Amino acid sequence: MAIKNAYLADVYAQVEARNAGEKEFLQAVYEVLESFEPVVEKREDIVKAGIIERIVEPERFVQFRVAWVDDAGKVQVNRGFRVQYNSAIGPYKGGIRLHPSVNASVIKFLGFEQCFKNSLTTLPMGGGKGGADFDPKGKSDGEIMRFCQSFMTELSKYIGPDTDVPAGDIGVGAREIGYMFGQYKRLRNEFTGVLTGKGLTYGGSLARKEATGFGLCYFTKEMLAAKGDSFEGKNVVISGSGNVAIYAAQKATEFGAKVVAMSDSNGYIYDPNGVNLDVIKQIKEVERARIKEYVARVEGATYTEGCRGIWSVKCDIALPCATQNELNGDEAKTLIANGVKLVAEGANMPSTPEAVAAFQGAGVLFGPAKAANAGGVATSGLEMSQNSMRYSWSFEEVDAKLQGIMKSIYKAASEAAKEYGCEDNLVAGANIAGFLKIAEAMMAQGVM
Ligand code: NDP
Ligand code: 2IT
């Protein structure tokens, strides 16, 4: 597909000129603008108010030096980022990613998508994202702590519980959030809900750890139910073996499916009997080791070097839960040839545009990240509510709210797709539904 509308093509050309070479960011913007053609035709008021020109430009972008001392006494320098993308409907909200591939383009694509995702959750959260090109792999606990403290010393100048509330993403879980929270509290002399994904002893929410993976399966369940189908008896392939992948695997299994393959950046395991999640959790959450270890502990499982090979494993449902552009057009065609019926994105932008087009062209049900993985940030929103009330809900209460939110996201995306003439296209539906709420808020608040 291409952007045919002249006005949208102009907006995109401007974005391309201003952000030359930022390929992930341009990819994310292109996909969204492409789906706005029916909106531009229907909503002259939005065009007149310059909403689309404004929404593609972040409100604020900060880049900073993060210096820290490693265990050998050597000074290390990383580059930190925070993009505060859009605050029309609430304080900036979005995760922090620690991975060597992090750069301005990656942070801006994630921040841009976060705005629409957060809007879809129905909760009052604007969009933001942050991170650093720090590689947590092989670092000692002390090194992780010193990095997180240095990172927060600078980040603390820009965030706050009513301004911008970061959380986890790749490379950032409860341990890193703990160190960052501690540093913020110390710097500000203030105990507030400035971060989400906190530990349960200091303001974290039950079910936040599980929320993205569980939410992905709740969303997938809605997609299947709309076609009179369910998880029962399906073979599922899940890429990654981090926070999102593990809890997606757990819920898919609870729903009666069999998860036959999972991966990390080195390779993938295949287990025809269905993955043993206790073993995966032990390897990944406790030992922080490689997934390769699995085959030494579980009989009948095999390991293949190279993570992309996972898409050659035959399955009914594929849930990419690792990283952006991890599933390309050729890999999509392999999945289709092997009979895949549904793909839902746990990671952010895991499917390339060619892959998305292949799935949609072949009639594979496709659940886009902005909608399908919104359960994590939605539960972060619930953590913020609990922090404001100085109260905690039970696991069951949070999980019930999460299920309700995922249902409403599915409904909003599928209804918007229908209303704007692209029935069954959840990519367009999620983009449009998420956008319209932000657009209304921006128009009400005046030009800024
Ligand atoms: P984790 O750090 O817990 O796990 C990431 C997983 O993806 C690991 O298995 C990792 O393998 C793999 N991975 C990361 N980078 C690459 C890469 N470049 N190539 C191949 N594999 C890679 O992160 P999360 O599970 O939290 O995040 C996974 C995805 O889900 C990301 O796209 C994130 O943005 C998205 N997401 C996360 C949410 C959350 O609440 N955590 C919410 C919504 C979306 P290895 O260990 O070898 O690096
Ligand atoms: O991509 C995402 O939605 C996240 N990493 C979660 C963000 C959050 O604020 O919980």
PDB file of all heavy atoms in Angstrom, residues 260-293:
ATOM      1  N   VAL A 260       4.484 -24.646  21.391  1.00  0.00           N
ATOM      2  CA  VAL A 260       5.481 -25.619  20.942  1.00  0.00           C
ATOM      3  C   VAL A 260       6.870 -25.013  20.715  1.00  0.00           C
ATOM      4  O   VAL A 260       7.845 -25.758  20.573  1.00  0.00           O
ATOM      5  CB  VAL A 260       5.027 -26.368  19.664  1.00  0.00           C
ATOM      6  CG1 VAL A 260       3.815 -27.255  19.972  1.00  0.00           C
ATOM      7  CG2 VAL A 260       4.722 -25.395  18.524  1.00  0.00           C
ATOM      8  N   ALA A 261       6.974 -23.683  20.643  1.00  0.00           N
ATOM      9  CA  ALA A 261       8.299 -23.082  20.428  1.00  0.00           C
ATOM     10  C   ALA A 261       8.411 -21.720  21.081  1.00  0.00           C
ATOM     11  O   ALA A 261       7.432 -20.969  21.129  1.00  0.00           O
ATOM     12  CB  ALA A 261       8.585 -22.965  18.929  1.00  0.00           C
ATOM     13  N   MET A 262       9.616 -21.436  21.618  1.00  0.00           N
ATOM     14  CA  MET A 262       9.949 -20.110  22.156  1.00  0.00           C
ATOM     15  C   MET A 262      11.416 -19.830  21.812  1.00  0.00           C
ATOM     16  O   MET A 262      12.146 -20.742  21.436  1.00  0.00           O
ATOM     17  CB  MET A 262       9.736 -20.067  23.681  1.00  0.00           C
ATOM     18  CG  MET A 262       8.266 -20.187  24.079  1.00  0.00           C
ATOM     19  SD  MET A 262       7.969 -20.066  25.865  1.00  0.00           S
ATOM     20  CE  MET A 262       8.097 -18.285  26.127  1.00  0.00           C
ATOM     21  N   SER A 263      11.845 -18.564  21.973  1.00  0.00           N
ATOM     22  CA  SER A 263      13.197 -18.217  21.510  1.00  0.00           C
ATOM     23  C   SER A 263      13.875 -17.186  22.409  1.00  0.00           C
ATOM     24  O   SER A 263      13.245 -16.603  23.288  1.00  0.00           O
ATOM     25  CB  SER A 263      13.115 -17.653  20.082  1.00  0.00           C
ATOM     26  OG  SER A 263      12.322 -16.480  20.060  1.00  0.00           O
ATOM     27  N   ASP A 264      15.148 -16.954  22.174  1.00  0.00           N
ATOM     28  CA  ASP A 264      15.789 -15.719  22.611  1.00  0.00           C
ATOM     29  C   ASP A 264      16.624 -15.234  21.429  1.00  0.00           C
ATOM     30  O   ASP A 264      16.503 -15.784  20.324  1.00  0.00           O
ATOM     31  CB  ASP A 264      16.580 -15.878  23.925  1.00  0.00           C
ATOM     32  CG  ASP A 264      17.720 -16.883  23.850  1.00  0.00           C
ATOM     33  OD1 ASP A 264      18.201 -17.169  22.749  1.00  0.00           O
ATOM     34  OD2 ASP A 264      18.134 -17.372  24.928  1.00  0.00           O
ATOM     35  N   SER A 265      17.452 -14.233  21.615  1.00  0.00           N
ATOM     36  CA  SER A 265      18.114 -13.658  20.443  1.00  0.00           C
ATOM     37  C   SER A 265      19.148 -14.603  19.832  1.00  0.00           C
ATOM     38  O   SER A 265      19.610 -14.383  18.718  1.00  0.00           O
ATOM     39  CB  SER A 265      18.751 -12.311  20.788  1.00  0.00           C
ATOM     40  OG  SER A 265      19.684 -12.475  21.825  1.00  0.00           O
ATOM     41  N   ASN A 266      19.490 -15.685  20.532  1.00  0.00           N
ATOM     42  CA  ASN A 266      20.454 -16.641  19.974  1.00  0.00           C
ATOM     43  C   ASN A 266      19.835 -17.785  19.175  1.00  0.00           C
ATOM     44  O   ASN A 266      20.459 -18.308  18.249  1.00  0.00           O
ATOM     45  CB  ASN A 266      21.299 -17.266  21.093  1.00  0.00           C
ATOM     46  CG  ASN A 266      22.206 -16.249  21.739  1.00  0.00           C
ATOM     47  OD1 ASN A 266      22.016 -15.911  22.897  1.00  0.00           O
ATOM     48  ND2 ASN A 266      23.155 -15.720  20.989  1.00  0.00           N
ATOM     49  N   GLY A 267      18.629 -18.211  19.557  1.00  0.00           N
ATOM     50  CA  GLY A 267      18.039 -19.361  18.882  1.00  0.00           C
ATOM     51  C   GLY A 267      16.684 -19.707  19.461  1.00  0.00           C
ATOM     52  O   GLY A 267      16.159 -18.974  20.300  1.00  0.00           O
ATOM     53  N   TYR A 268      16.131 -20.843  19.001  1.00  0.00           N
ATOM     54  CA  TYR A 268      14.811 -21.217  19.492  1.00  0.00           C
ATOM     55  C   TYR A 268      14.753 -22.678  19.918  1.00  0.00           C
ATOM     56  O   TYR A 268      15.510 -23.511  19.420  1.00  0.00           O
ATOM     57  CB  TYR A 268      13.727 -20.910  18.449  1.00  0.00           C
ATOM     58  CG  TYR A 268      13.717 -21.799  17.234  1.00  0.00           C
ATOM     59  CD1 TYR A 268      12.906 -22.939  17.171  1.00  0.00           C
ATOM     60  CD2 TYR A 268      14.509 -21.503  16.125  1.00  0.00           C
ATOM     61  CE1 TYR A 268      12.895 -23.747  16.053  1.00  0.00           C
ATOM     62  CE2 TYR A 268      14.500 -22.301  15.000  1.00  0.00           C
ATOM     63  CZ  TYR A 268      13.688 -23.429  14.969  1.00  0.00           C
ATOM     64  OH  TYR A 268      13.685 -24.241  13.874  1.00  0.00           O
ATOM     65  N   ILE A 269      13.836 -22.946  20.848  1.00  0.00           N
ATOM     66  CA  ILE A 269      13.596 -24.333  21.256  1.00  0.00           C
ATOM     67  C   ILE A 269      12.263 -24.788  20.682  1.00  0.00           C
ATOM     68  O   ILE A 269      11.327 -23.992  20.531  1.00  0.00           O
ATOM     69  CB  ILE A 269      13.594 -24.509  22.797  1.00  0.00           C
ATOM     70  CG1 ILE A 269      12.625 -23.515  23.464  1.00  0.00           C
ATOM     71  CG2 ILE A 269      14.986 -24.321  23.363  1.00  0.00           C
ATOM     72  CD1 ILE A 269      11.670 -24.129  24.427  1.00  0.00           C
ATOM     73  N   TYR A 270      12.206 -26.082  20.358  1.00  0.00           N
ATOM     74  CA  TYR A 270      10.964 -26.698  19.893  1.00  0.00           C
ATOM     75  C   TYR A 270      10.653 -27.839  20.853  1.00  0.00           C
ATOM     76  O   TYR A 270      11.527 -28.662  21.133  1.00  0.00           O
ATOM     77  CB  TYR A 270      11.153 -27.208  18.465  1.00  0.00           C
ATOM     78  CG  TYR A 270       9.995 -28.042  17.958  1.00  0.00           C
ATOM     79  CD1 TYR A 270       8.755 -27.455  17.710  1.00  0.00           C
ATOM     80  CD2 TYR A 270      10.130 -29.411  17.749  1.00  0.00           C
ATOM     81  CE1 TYR A 270       7.676 -28.206  17.266  1.00  0.00           C
ATOM     82  CE2 TYR A 270       9.055 -30.176  17.297  1.00  0.00           C
ATOM     83  CZ  TYR A 270       7.828 -29.567  17.064  1.00  0.00           C
ATOM     84  OH  TYR A 270       6.760 -30.324  16.631  1.00  0.00           O
ATOM     85  N   ASP A 271       9.454 -27.836  21.387  1.00  0.00           N
ATOM     86  CA  ASP A 271       9.050 -28.892  22.311  1.00  0.00           C
ATOM     87  C   ASP A 271       7.677 -29.408  21.893  1.00  0.00           C
ATOM     88  O   ASP A 271       6.656 -28.772  22.170  1.00  0.00           O
ATOM     89  CB  ASP A 271       9.019 -28.355  23.756  1.00  0.00           C
ATOM     90  CG  ASP A 271       8.776 -29.468  24.764  1.00  0.00           C
ATOM     91  OD1 ASP A 271       8.288 -30.550  24.346  1.00  0.00           O
ATOM     92  OD2 ASP A 271       9.066 -29.272  25.952  1.00  0.00           O
ATOM     93  N   PRO A 272       7.652 -30.545  21.211  1.00  0.00           N
ATOM     94  CA  PRO A 272       6.385 -31.070  20.681  1.00  0.00           C
ATOM     95  C   PRO A 272       5.365 -31.389  21.766  1.00  0.00           C
ATOM     96  O   PRO A 272       4.170 -31.475  21.489  1.00  0.00           O
ATOM     97  CB  PRO A 272       6.807 -32.342  19.934  1.00  0.00           C
ATOM     98  CG  PRO A 272       8.131 -32.723  20.484  1.00  0.00           C
ATOM     99  CD  PRO A 272       8.789 -31.462  20.932  1.00  0.00           C
ATOM    100  N   ASN A 273       5.823 -31.513  23.020  1.00  0.00           N
ATOM    101  CA  ASN A 273       4.897 -31.815  24.112  1.00  0.00           C
ATOM    102  C   ASN A 273       4.298 -30.561  24.750  1.00  0.00           C
ATOM    103  O   ASN A 273       3.496 -30.655  25.677  1.00  0.00           O
ATOM    104  CB  ASN A 273       5.617 -32.644  25.185  1.00  0.00           C
ATOM    105  CG  ASN A 273       6.148 -33.942  24.614  1.00  0.00           C
ATOM    106  OD1 ASN A 273       5.444 -34.626  23.866  1.00  0.00           O
ATOM    107  ND2 ASN A 273       7.399 -34.262  24.906  1.00  0.00           N
ATOM    108  N   GLY A 274       4.714 -29.403  24.269  1.00  0.00           N
ATOM    109  CA  GLY A 274       4.260 -28.158  24.888  1.00  0.00           C
ATOM    110  C   GLY A 274       5.300 -27.707  25.896  1.00  0.00           C
ATOM    111  O   GLY A 274       5.733 -28.500  26.739  1.00  0.00           O
ATOM    112  N   VAL A 275       5.728 -26.439  25.843  1.00  0.00           N
ATOM    113  CA  VAL A 275       6.841 -25.990  26.692  1.00  0.00           C
ATOM    114  C   VAL A 275       6.492 -26.110  28.179  1.00  0.00           C
ATOM    115  O   VAL A 275       5.355 -25.861  28.584  1.00  0.00           O
ATOM    116  CB  VAL A 275       7.293 -24.536  26.404  1.00  0.00           C
ATOM    117  CG1 VAL A 275       7.880 -24.413  25.021  1.00  0.00           C
ATOM    118  CG2 VAL A 275       6.173 -23.554  26.614  1.00  0.00           C
ATOM    119  N   ASN A 276       7.494 -26.484  28.954  1.00  0.00           N
ATOM    120  CA  ASN A 276       7.372 -26.548  30.395  1.00  0.00           C
ATOM    121  C   ASN A 276       7.750 -25.159  30.931  1.00  0.00           C
ATOM    122  O   ASN A 276       8.917 -24.772  30.950  1.00  0.00           O
ATOM    123  CB  ASN A 276       8.319 -27.626  30.936  1.00  0.00           C
ATOM    124  CG  ASN A 276       8.220 -27.761  32.436  1.00  0.00           C
ATOM    125  OD1 ASN A 276       7.929 -26.799  33.142  1.00  0.00           O
ATOM    126  ND2 ASN A 276       8.474 -28.963  32.921  1.00  0.00           N
ATOM    127  N   LEU A 277       6.737 -24.419  31.364  1.00  0.00           N
ATOM    128  CA  LEU A 277       6.986 -23.012  31.730  1.00  0.00           C
ATOM    129  C   LEU A 277       7.771 -22.855  33.022  1.00  0.00           C
ATOM    130  O   LEU A 277       8.464 -21.849  33.203  1.00  0.00           O
ATOM    131  CB  LEU A 277       5.673 -22.254  31.819  1.00  0.00           C
ATOM    132  CG  LEU A 277       5.230 -21.660  30.484  1.00  0.00           C
ATOM    133  CD1 LEU A 277       3.842 -21.074  30.600  1.00  0.00           C
ATOM    134  CD2 LEU A 277       6.206 -20.574  30.010  1.00  0.00           C
ATOM    135  N   ASP A 278       7.682 -23.839  33.907  1.00  0.00           N
ATOM    136  CA  ASP A 278       8.489 -23.750  35.132  1.00  0.00           C
ATOM    137  C   ASP A 278       9.968 -23.741  34.768  1.00  0.00           C
ATOM    138  O   ASP A 278      10.768 -23.010  35.362  1.00  0.00           O
ATOM    139  CB  ASP A 278       8.187 -24.935  36.060  1.00  0.00           C
ATOM    140  CG  ASP A 278       6.785 -24.833  36.655  1.00  0.00           C
ATOM    141  OD1 ASP A 278       6.248 -23.710  36.697  1.00  0.00           O
ATOM    142  OD2 ASP A 278       6.235 -25.875  37.061  1.00  0.00           O
ATOM    143  N   VAL A 279      10.327 -24.558  33.771  1.00  0.00           N
ATOM    144  CA  VAL A 279      11.728 -24.613  33.342  1.00  0.00           C
ATOM    145  C   VAL A 279      12.121 -23.292  32.671  1.00  0.00           C
ATOM    146  O   VAL A 279      13.182 -22.715  32.951  1.00  0.00           O
ATOM    147  CB  VAL A 279      11.953 -25.820  32.388  1.00  0.00           C
ATOM    148  CG1 VAL A 279      13.371 -25.804  31.823  1.00  0.00           C
ATOM    149  CG2 VAL A 279      11.688 -27.136  33.121  1.00  0.00           C
ATOM    150  N   ILE A 280      11.254 -22.785  31.800  1.00  0.00           N
ATOM    151  CA  ILE A 280      11.547 -21.504  31.126  1.00  0.00           C
ATOM    152  C   ILE A 280      11.720 -20.387  32.165  1.00  0.00           C
ATOM    153  O   ILE A 280      12.666 -19.581  32.096  1.00  0.00           O
ATOM    154  CB  ILE A 280      10.402 -21.121  30.146  1.00  0.00           C
ATOM    155  CG1 ILE A 280      10.276 -22.158  29.025  1.00  0.00           C
ATOM    156  CG2 ILE A 280      10.577 -19.693  29.616  1.00  0.00           C
ATOM    157  CD1 ILE A 280      11.106 -21.915  27.805  1.00  0.00           C
ATOM    158  N   LYS A 281      10.821 -20.336  33.145  1.00  0.00           N
ATOM    159  CA  LYS A 281      10.897 -19.273  34.163  1.00  0.00           C
ATOM    160  C   LYS A 281      12.185 -19.395  34.981  1.00  0.00           C
ATOM    161  O   LYS A 281      12.826 -18.382  35.288  1.00  0.00           O
ATOM    162  CB  LYS A 281       9.683 -19.336  35.096  1.00  0.00           C
ATOM    163  CG  LYS A 281       8.415 -18.776  34.466  1.00  0.00           C
ATOM    164  CD  LYS A 281       7.264 -18.838  35.464  1.00  0.00           C
ATOM    165  CE  LYS A 281       5.956 -18.419  34.796  1.00  0.00           C
ATOM    166  NZ  LYS A 281       4.791 -18.632  35.675  1.00  0.00           N
ATOM    167  N   GLN A 282      12.537 -20.625  35.329  1.00  0.00           N
ATOM    168  CA  GLN A 282      13.770 -20.842  36.088  1.00  0.00           C
ATOM    169  C   GLN A 282      14.976 -20.325  35.282  1.00  0.00           C
ATOM    170  O   GLN A 282      15.822 -19.596  35.813  1.00  0.00           O
ATOM    171  CB  GLN A 282      13.921 -22.342  36.412  1.00  0.00           C
ATOM    172  CG  GLN A 282      15.237 -22.737  37.087  1.00  0.00           C
ATOM    173  CD  GLN A 282      15.405 -22.142  38.484  1.00  0.00           C
ATOM    174  OE1 GLN A 282      14.414 -21.839  39.166  1.00  0.00           O
ATOM    175  NE2 GLN A 282      16.655 -21.944  38.912  1.00  0.00           N
ATOM    176  N   ILE A 283      15.035 -20.686  34.009  1.00  0.00           N
ATOM    177  CA  ILE A 283      16.180 -20.289  33.175  1.00  0.00           C
ATOM    178  C   ILE A 283      16.199 -18.774  32.957  1.00  0.00           C
ATOM    179  O   ILE A 283      17.240 -18.122  33.099  1.00  0.00           O
ATOM    180  CB  ILE A 283      16.133 -20.994  31.797  1.00  0.00           C
ATOM    181  CG1 ILE A 283      16.302 -22.514  31.967  1.00  0.00           C
ATOM    182  CG2 ILE A 283      17.206 -20.438  30.850  1.00  0.00           C
ATOM    183  CD1 ILE A 283      16.025 -23.307  30.690  1.00  0.00           C
ATOM    184  N   LYS A 284      15.037 -18.217  32.623  1.00  0.00           N
ATOM    185  CA  LYS A 284      15.001 -16.810  32.200  1.00  0.00           C
ATOM    186  C   LYS A 284      14.834 -15.817  33.348  1.00  0.00           C
ATOM    187  O   LYS A 284      15.499 -14.789  33.386  1.00  0.00           O
ATOM    188  CB  LYS A 284      13.881 -16.627  31.166  1.00  0.00           C
ATOM    189  CG  LYS A 284      14.231 -17.223  29.807  1.00  0.00           C
ATOM    190  CD  LYS A 284      15.339 -16.394  29.177  1.00  0.00           C
ATOM    191  CE  LYS A 284      15.998 -17.065  28.013  1.00  0.00           C
ATOM    192  NZ  LYS A 284      17.123 -16.271  27.484  1.00  0.00           N
ATOM    193  N   GLU A 285      13.922 -16.124  34.286  1.00  0.00           N
ATOM    194  CA  GLU A 285      13.646 -15.139  35.339  1.00  0.00           C
ATOM    195  C   GLU A 285      14.613 -15.280  36.511  1.00  0.00           C
ATOM    196  O   GLU A 285      14.995 -14.287  37.124  1.00  0.00           O
ATOM    197  CB  GLU A 285      12.207 -15.292  35.853  1.00  0.00           C
ATOM    198  CG  GLU A 285      11.160 -14.927  34.808  1.00  0.00           C
ATOM    199  CD  GLU A 285       9.729 -14.969  35.329  1.00  0.00           C
ATOM    200  OE1 GLU A 285       9.441 -15.658  36.325  1.00  0.00           O
ATOM    201  OE2 GLU A 285       8.878 -14.312  34.732  1.00  0.00           O
ATOM    202  N   VAL A 286      15.001 -16.520  36.823  1.00  0.00           N
ATOM    203  CA  VAL A 286      15.849 -16.728  38.011  1.00  0.00           C
ATOM    204  C   VAL A 286      17.332 -16.689  37.619  1.00  0.00           C
ATOM    205  O   VAL A 286      18.103 -15.910  38.167  1.00  0.00           O
ATOM    206  CB  VAL A 286      15.496 -18.070  38.711  1.00  0.00           C
ATOM    207  CG1 VAL A 286      16.371 -18.259  39.945  1.00  0.00           C
ATOM    208  CG2 VAL A 286      14.011 -18.113  39.081  1.00  0.00           C
ATOM    209  N   GLU A 287      17.701 -17.536  36.649  1.00  0.00           N
ATOM    210  CA  GLU A 287      19.134 -17.654  36.311  1.00  0.00           C
ATOM    211  C   GLU A 287      19.605 -16.600  35.303  1.00  0.00           C
ATOM    212  O   GLU A 287      20.797 -16.403  35.112  1.00  0.00           O
ATOM    213  CB  GLU A 287      19.409 -19.059  35.754  1.00  0.00           C
ATOM    214  CG  GLU A 287      19.096 -20.169  36.756  1.00  0.00           C
ATOM    215  CD  GLU A 287      19.141 -21.571  36.137  1.00  0.00           C
ATOM    216  OE1 GLU A 287      19.798 -21.769  35.099  1.00  0.00           O
ATOM    217  OE2 GLU A 287      18.494 -22.477  36.699  1.00  0.00           O
ATOM    218  N   ARG A 288      18.669 -15.954  34.600  1.00  0.00           N
ATOM    219  CA  ARG A 288      19.011 -15.013  33.520  1.00  0.00           C
ATOM    220  C   ARG A 288      19.972 -15.667  32.529  1.00  0.00           C
ATOM    221  O   ARG A 288      20.947 -15.076  32.079  1.00  0.00           O
ATOM    222  CB  ARG A 288      19.618 -13.710  34.072  1.00  0.00           C
ATOM    223  CG  ARG A 288      18.676 -12.955  35.005  1.00  0.00           C
ATOM    224  CD  ARG A 288      19.321 -11.672  35.534  1.00  0.00           C
ATOM    225  NE  ARG A 288      18.488 -11.029  36.541  1.00  0.00           N
ATOM    226  CZ  ARG A 288      17.508 -10.164  36.283  1.00  0.00           C
ATOM    227  NH1 ARG A 288      17.243  -9.811  35.060  1.00  0.00           N
ATOM    228  NH2 ARG A 288      16.798  -9.624  37.259  1.00  0.00           N
ATOM    229  N   ALA A 289      19.678 -16.941  32.209  1.00  0.00           N
ATOM    230  CA  ALA A 289      20.552 -17.705  31.303  1.00  0.00           C
ATOM    231  C   ALA A 289      19.935 -17.781  29.905  1.00  0.00           C
ATOM    232  O   ALA A 289      18.940 -17.111  29.618  1.00  0.00           O
ATOM    233  CB  ALA A 289      20.765 -19.103  31.881  1.00  0.00           C
ATOM    234  N   ARG A 290      20.526 -18.585  29.034  1.00  0.00           N
ATOM    235  CA  ARG A 290      20.076 -18.678  27.641  1.00  0.00           C
ATOM    236  C   ARG A 290      19.043 -19.788  27.476  1.00  0.00           C
ATOM    237  O   ARG A 290      19.104 -20.820  28.168  1.00  0.00           O
ATOM    238  CB  ARG A 290      21.278 -18.929  26.704  1.00  0.00           C
ATOM    239  CG  ARG A 290      22.435 -17.960  26.898  1.00  0.00           C
ATOM    240  CD  ARG A 290      22.017 -16.508  26.871  1.00  0.00           C
ATOM    241  NE  ARG A 290      21.386 -16.134  25.619  1.00  0.00           N
ATOM    242  CZ  ARG A 290      20.614 -15.045  25.468  1.00  0.00           C
ATOM    243  NH1 ARG A 290      20.378 -14.238  26.477  1.00  0.00           N
ATOM    244  NH2 ARG A 290      20.081 -14.782  24.306  1.00  0.00           N
ATOM    245  N   ILE A 291      18.166 -19.655  26.509  1.00  0.00           N
ATOM    246  CA  ILE A 291      17.075 -20.621  26.316  1.00  0.00           C
ATOM    247  C   ILE A 291      17.598 -21.992  25.886  1.00  0.00           C
ATOM    248  O   ILE A 291      16.946 -23.010  26.093  1.00  0.00           O
ATOM    249  CB  ILE A 291      16.013 -20.081  25.330  1.00  0.00           C
ATOM    250  CG1 ILE A 291      14.670 -20.794  25.605  1.00  0.00           C
ATOM    251  CG2 ILE A 291      16.446 -20.223  23.870  1.00  0.00           C
ATOM    252  CD1 ILE A 291      13.470 -20.087  25.082  1.00  0.00           C
ATOM    253  N   LYS A 292      18.763 -21.999  25.329  1.00  0.00           N
ATOM    254  CA  LYS A 292      19.444 -23.235  24.947  1.00  0.00           C
ATOM    255  C   LYS A 292      19.468 -24.263  26.081  1.00  0.00           C
ATOM    256  O   LYS A 292      19.392 -25.470  25.857  1.00  0.00           O
ATOM    257  CB  LYS A 292      20.882 -22.843  24.564  1.00  0.00           C
ATOM    258  CG  LYS A 292      21.683 -23.891  23.893  1.00  0.00           C
ATOM    259  CD  LYS A 292      23.056 -23.335  23.576  1.00  0.00           C
ATOM    260  CE  LYS A 292      23.881 -24.414  22.896  1.00  0.00           C
ATOM    261  NZ  LYS A 292      25.130 -23.877  22.378  1.00  0.00           N
ATOM    262  N   GLU A 293      19.582 -23.748  27.321  1.00  0.00           N
ATOM    263  CA  GLU A 293      19.598 -24.596  28.517  1.00  0.00           C
ATOM    264  C   GLU A 293      18.403 -25.540  28.591  1.00  0.00           C
ATOM    265  O   GLU A 293      18.468 -26.595  29.227  1.00  0.00           O
ATOM    266  CB  GLU A 293      19.544 -23.711  29.778  1.00  0.00           C
ATOM    267  CG  GLU A 293      20.781 -22.892  30.032  1.00  0.00           C
ATOM    268  CD  GLU A 293      21.896 -23.764  30.533  1.00  0.00           C
ATOM    269  OE1 GLU A 293      21.609 -24.623  31.379  1.00  0.00           O
ATOM    270  OE2 GLU A 293      23.026 -23.609  30.052  1.00  0.00           O
TER     271      GLU A 293
END
